[in-house]
Amino acid sequence: MNYCRSLACILSVMSLWAFASDAVGGTMKKCIAPDGRIEFTDLPCPLDARSLAVENKTPHQQTQQISRLAKSGITLGGLPVADRLKSCEPGVAIAAAEEVVSNPASLNEPMHLFSPAYALFQNGRKDEGVFWFYAAQLRVRQQLVIDNGDRGQILSIMLMTIGGPINNYALQNTSKLNQILDRVLEWDKKAMNPFRDQAKARKLDKQMDQVYAGFGELKSKLVAEKAAMETAARQAAPGMEQLHAQMNNDRCRKGQPDPAYENQRKKDEQQLALDFVTHNDQLIKLVGGQVKAVPASSTTYSNDSKRARYEFSIVGSRSLFAIVEVNRSSGKPALVLACVTTLSLGHREASREACSQSPLPLPK
């Protein structure tokens, strides 16, 4: 099983994730309360809080980070860990990553290890990110021996997206990467492994051995092609780092909400759109009474993050299809009933097309 695609492929892919690095410096305590609240301090944590060291931050950087957290109003306990991993605040993303990789339940679905691997990597903990990226690969490949499904396709996507910047960094020092891979293999021996046990029970030992053989082939390749790999990776590094730095700047622009809140914002905005539809006077007149709306789909325009569209099926004495457009240019969502047409049951595309071609006249 081939763990290392051609270097040209690894270094040319454009990651769908943002790239950012952080400065290095001193340490500080991070106190995580049982309810998920977090506090940065140089004092002892309360007895009921978990204490972790905040690495790679000078005191000045720590103060700036705490200030940004306070201004953004981020409360870790209020967001799912998957959302916190997307945060532009290093302290938030790193804490979420540590939470995932320290949770034994994550080993039951190792695909979940890729997100914390990249969160650690892009927030300055690069070697840890490389470790968990390859640990995730190893365990997912073991999982594929037991249950293939569509995980193989998802793994390929991960290798071509977050694998780009991580491999570019790791391949610049193949000796260190080999040491990290040794640590991965040692971790794999000690950590809970449901797939190895299942493989043994189902007499799939040979297939599992092939997974480890593939890992060994990668390690050998790093030794045999050390000079060529490192040279190619270093030549590609400036362009890749510039690309992902720009992507991160776009994702974390000053004045826009932290991406950690994106899913919650969408839920809140969709609920706002739903309330808008059910209490819309024009729709009430069209339906002839109470409006009962069912969300059909939502779209955020990739080329304009300030606009979104929500579609609803209106059920009642008259079945309708409604589109609500949202504009966030003013900082708050402004909602407009963009189109209403009769509902083509089971054919949303037909309803969408009908709405653009022959919308129903709205009562005044």
Side-chain angles (χ1 to χ4, degrees):
M1 192 174 296
N2 185 10
Y3 271 72
C4 187
R5 299 184 175 202
S6 68
L7 188 63
C9 176
I10 291 174
L11 299 182
S12 65
V13 292
M14 292 177 58
S15 171
L16 299 179
W17 291 58
F19 175 90
S21 61
D22 220 342
V24 297
T27 60
M28 192 178 190
K29 287 189 184 67
K30 176 169 58 183
C31 301
I32 303 178
D35 63 357
R37 289 178 297 103
I38 189 169
E39 180 181 4
F40 296 86
T41 178
D42 55 359
L43 300 174
C45 292
L47 293 178
D48 62 343
R50 183 161 58 98
S51 174
L52 294 171
V54 178
E55 301 177 16
N56 304 331
K57 298 289 178 185
T58 65
H60 176 64
Q61 289 170 323
Q62 291 166 351
T63 301
Q64 287 184 321
Q65 177 174 305
I66 297 167
S67 175
R68 290 197 302 271
L69 284 167
K71 289 179 181 178
S72 66
I74 291 177
T75 55
L76 298 184
L79 293 174
V81 67
D83 292 344
R84 284 182 271 132
L85 283 167
K86 303 173 187 175
S87 178
C88 290
E89 295 293 346
V92 174
I94 288 173
E98 291 171 340
E99 182 178 331
V100 174
V101 299
S102 63
N103 186 351
S106 299
L107 301 182
N108 293 323
E109 182 46 78
M111 201 68 75
H112 293 165
L113 295 174
F114 282 110
S115 293
Y118 201 81
L120 289 166
F121 177 83
Q122 69 176 356
N123 286 291
R125 307 263 280 266
K126 288 184 164 53
D127 290 345
E128 289 179 70
V130 173
F131 173 91
W132 287 110
F133 175 71
Y134 279 96
Q137 279 194 69
L138 179 60
R139 285 298 177 90
V140 169
R141 292 183 187 279
Q142 293 173 3
Q143 186 181 27
L144 291 174
V145 172
I146 307 300
D147 179 18
N148 197 345
D150 60 356
R151 288 185 179 86
Q153 295 176 346
I154 300 173
L155 176 60
S156 296
I157 292 171
M158 289 297 177
L159 297 180
M160 290 189 294
T161 54
I162 70 172
I166 291 179
N167 277 317
N168 176 260
Y169 165 79
L171 289 172
Q172 292 178 56
N173 188 336
T174 56
S175 297
K176 183 167 70 171
L177 175 55
N178 239 325
Q179 293 173 0
I180 291 174
L181 297 181
D182 285 337
R183 286 175 44 220
V184 170
L185 289 171
E186 189 63 27
W187 166 84
D188 179 64
K189 290 179 183 177
K190 298 176 181 178
M192 180 190 71
N193 192 333
F195 314 116
R196 189 166 50 215
D197 296 339
Q198 291 180 50
K200 184 172 292 187
R202 294 166 58 176
K203 302 185 185 306
L204 297 172
D205 302 72
K206 288 185 178 180
Q207 290 90 325
M208 193 64 74
D209 288 343
Q210 290 175 359
V211 172
Y212 287 107
F215 210 82
E217 290 172 10
L218 171 59
K219 287 176 56 59
S220 298
K221 190 178 182 71
L222 293 174
V223 174
E225 302 179 22
K226 175 181 174 66
M229 284 186 169
E230 290 183 350
T231 298
R234 289 167 185 164
Q235 288 176 347
M240 180 165 285
E241 291 176 6
Q242 182 178 8
L243 169 66
H244 293 289
Q246 181 59 51
M247 291 176 68
N248 190 65
N249 290 337
D250 292 341
R251 190 177 70 96
C252 299
R253 278 198 306 271
K254 185 178 180 180
Q256 70 180 18
D258 191 294
Y261 281 109
E262 181 64 16
N263 286 336
Q264 186 60 50
R265 183 195 61 74
K266 286 181 179 178
K267 290 178 183 178
D268 293 343
E269 191 172 89
Q270 187 171 52
Q271 183 60 50
L272 187 66
L274 179 61
D275 292 342
F276 173 80
V277 166
T278 55
H279 296 91
N280 186 276
D281 290 339
Q282 293 170 308
L283 282 176
I284 291 173
K285 290 179 181 178
L286 278 175
V287 174
Q290 183 181 5
V291 174
K292 296 181 180 179
V294 179
S297 68
S298 62
T299 303
T300 296
Y301 298 93
S302 57
N303 61 343
D304 187 354
S305 61
K306 293 182 179 179
R307 293 176 58 233
R309 182 176 71 185
Y310 296 92
E311 300 175 356
F312 296 92
S313 300
I314 310 297
V315 295
S317 59
R318 191 178 187 186
S319 296
L320 303 174
F321 177 82
I323 296 177
V324 175
E325 293 279 355
V326 179
N327 191 316
R328 313 183 192 105
S329 299
S330 65
K332 294 182 178 180
L335 286 72
V336 175
L337 185 60
C339 187
V340 180
T341 189
T342 54
L343 178 64
S344 298
L345 293 176
H347 300 283
R348 193 176 302 153
E349 286 296 332
S351 296
R352 206 174 280 135
E353 180 66 20
C355 211
S356 63
Q357 298 296 328
S358 55
L360 292 176
L362 293 173
K364 299 298 183 182

